[in-house]
Amino acid sequence: MAYLRVLASLAIFFHVVLADCECGYSITSTSGERQYVFTDLLENDFIHLDLTSDSQSYGEYGWAPQEFNMSSEVARGRYGEAFTPQNVISNNIAEEQTFEGPGSKGGDAGLNLVVRSEVQNGMVTGADISTTDVHFFHGTFRAGIKVTDVPGTCSAFFWYMNDTQEIDIEFLSSEFNRTNSTFPVNLVLQSQESKDAGFDASKTRDFQKINLPFDPTTAFHEYRIDFLSDRVIFYADDELLTEMNGTGVPSTPGNLQLSHWSNGNMGWSQGPPGTDATTTVTYVKAYFNSSLESRQHDYQTRCKDPSAPNAICAIPRHNATFFFSNVDNMTPNQTTYHNNGGGRTRWCRRLFTFIVALVIGTWVA
């Protein structure tokens, strides 16, 4: 009878741990007629997470600064591009409840992505970070970004698998004009069609240049990509920008990237910038369906009744300071990251695994 009492206690505890969001995180369609549910999350608060400390290992928080070169021919510009981890700079705030103001290095707190003005060996040095996992399939992806006001760079937030499976939000700082309040954002699906056009997506159906109703260089704004099975929807501060569908919608999983670069291409980034240019990112929030069989199995294990109260959690709309991973009991079986003095925690997934093992072991005994 003792083992039955243990099992009963574990069952109660197990239910409590998985009470909220055990069946995922949801958005509704712009018409409000359909709910989309995503099984996994990756939330990163770059105001408080130090992505670039020497003590951090590669991919410590699910992201890693990239280091690679592209020749001018490959980059399709006057200059080549050199991406270096030194141009990715964490500028954190120590107080975990403070989400705005200067960071420890001065200037806006967050993750700084820098493009240098000096050309070195025929290359302009820039910054790129990417998720170390490539299992991000359909989902909603959001980033808080303040774009540089220095002309001559391209700042980008994008989902990527390859050059014909890509979803881009790109800002060309040379296009900004405060005199007539022109602040365009370029929304792109890089596809086979764009490849056939010499990778000039502006000649395809899946390219739109939309003027923002605000200056993206003076404050942080949320830019969002909803990658669904049959369409891609773009938002700024929760306001619909445009929707694209058709053959350009990617059909594979991929990863997320943030980059800031210049190569002197007069038809795109222009540049290099006259002075060092910085684009700052305060957070990325990704809610998605994983392509990994192991994660799909985890979901089936924990989601027993999608109709149960709080089994599915609605994703807040345009809330820069809310993270499910900062709330107790809302990330069952998910990997979460916290500052905690520079460390990280993966307690949710570990706790779930521990409980499953304990329940099975007790049952066997």
Side-chain angles (χ1 to χ4, degrees), residues 14 17-18 297-299 301-303 332-334 347-357:
F14 190 81
V17 169
L18 302 184
H297 178 265
D298 288 344
Y299 178 73
T301 301
R302 73 174 184 266
C303 179
N333 187 227
Q334 305 290 344
W347 59 269
C348 289
R349 185 173 296 178
R350 286 174 176 170
L351 183 58
F352 178 85
T353 304
F354 169 76
I355 293 172
V356 169

Side-chain angles (χ1 to χ4, degrees), residues 122-139:
M123 294 188 173
V124 182
T125 62
D128 181 279
I129 66 168
S130 70
T131 58
T132 50
D133 288 326
V134 293
H135 62 114
F136 296 81
F137 208 179
H138 302 132

Side-chain angles (χ1 to χ4, degrees), residues 2-281:
Y3 78 91
L4 292 177
R5 288 195 295 271
V6 171
L7 280 175
S9 299
L10 285 171
I12 294 172
F13 181 60
F14 190 81
H15 177 74
V16 170
V17 169
L18 302 184
D20 293 340
C21 315
E22 64 189 36
C23 292
Y25 309 88
S26 70
I27 59 173
T28 55
S29 62
T30 52
S31 63
E33 297 176 353
R34 181 175 177 182
Q35 181 188 60
Y36 296 89
V37 178
F38 305 113
T39 61
D40 287 63
L41 64 73
L42 174 68
E43 295 178 322
N44 298 96
D45 168 14
F46 290 129
I47 289 178
H48 300 105
L49 294 181
D50 187 345
L51 195 68
T52 59
S53 169
D54 291 339
S55 64
Q56 305 302 318
S57 61
Y58 183 86
E60 183 79 3
Y61 295 121
W63 292 81
Q66 300 300 298
E67 185 169 16
F68 62 94
N69 294 343
M70 298 173 64
S71 68
S72 59
E73 291 79 15
V74 174
R76 299 185 291 276
R78 181 181 176 187
Y79 304 99
E81 300 170 25
F83 293 92
T84 171
Q86 288 72 33
N87 285 357
V88 179
I89 303 169
S90 288
N91 186 22
N92 301 133
I93 294 177
E95 174 51 56
E96 292 193 8
Q97 301 305 313
T98 301
F99 284 88
E100 59 183 1
S104 60
K105 297 178 175 69
D108 292 318
L111 189 68
N112 294 336
L113 305 177
V114 182
V115 173
R116 304 296 178 184
S117 59
E118 181 182 357
V119 178
Q120 298 181 356
N121 300 319
M123 294 188 173
V124 182
T125 62
D128 181 279
I129 66 168
S130 70
T131 58
T132 50
D133 288 326
V134 293
H135 62 114
F136 296 81
F137 208 179
H138 302 132
T140 178
F141 312 118
R142 300 125 188 257
I145 303 173
K146 183 178 179 180
V147 182
T148 183
D149 62 355
V150 180
T153 77
C154 175
S155 302
F157 170 48
F158 58 107
W159 175 99
Y160 180 84
M161 178 56 193
N162 56 44
D163 289 344
T164 60
Q165 299 269 313
E166 183 175 347
I167 305 170
D168 292 336
I169 296 178
E170 297 189 78
F171 304 88
L172 307 178
S173 54
S174 293
E175 293 185 328
F176 300 154
N177 188 331
R178 289 194 177 92
T179 302
N180 60 10
S181 297
T182 300
F183 303 103
V185 59
N186 298 275
L187 309 175
V188 188
L189 300 185
Q190 297 285 3
S191 62
Q192 184 63 45
E193 186 179 359
S194 65
K195 179 181 179 181
D196 294 342
F199 290 103
D200 185 354
S202 65
K203 297 178 180 178
T204 72
R205 297 165 295 175
D206 297 321
F207 173 89
Q208 291 192 41
K209 187 186 298 290
I210 294 179
N211 194 47
L212 296 168
F214 52 78
D215 182 346
T217 71
T218 59
F220 288 94
H221 297 273
E222 181 179 90
Y223 303 96
R224 170 179 158 192
I225 297 168
D226 284 358
F227 171 22
L228 307 176
S229 60
D230 60 346
R231 70 197 63 198
V232 176
I233 310 172
F234 298 90
Y235 298 83
D237 289 343
D238 203 42
E239 295 297 323
L240 176 67
L241 294 176
T242 193
E243 179 178 313
M244 299 180 186
N245 52 40
T247 58
V249 177
S251 58
T252 65
N255 71 358
L256 297 177
Q257 296 192 37
L258 289 150
S259 70
H260 191 200
W261 55 272
S262 177
N263 62 15
N265 183 331
M266 296 309 295
W268 198 248
S269 71
Q270 299 190 33
T275 61
D276 290 353
T278 300
T279 284
T280 303
V281 183

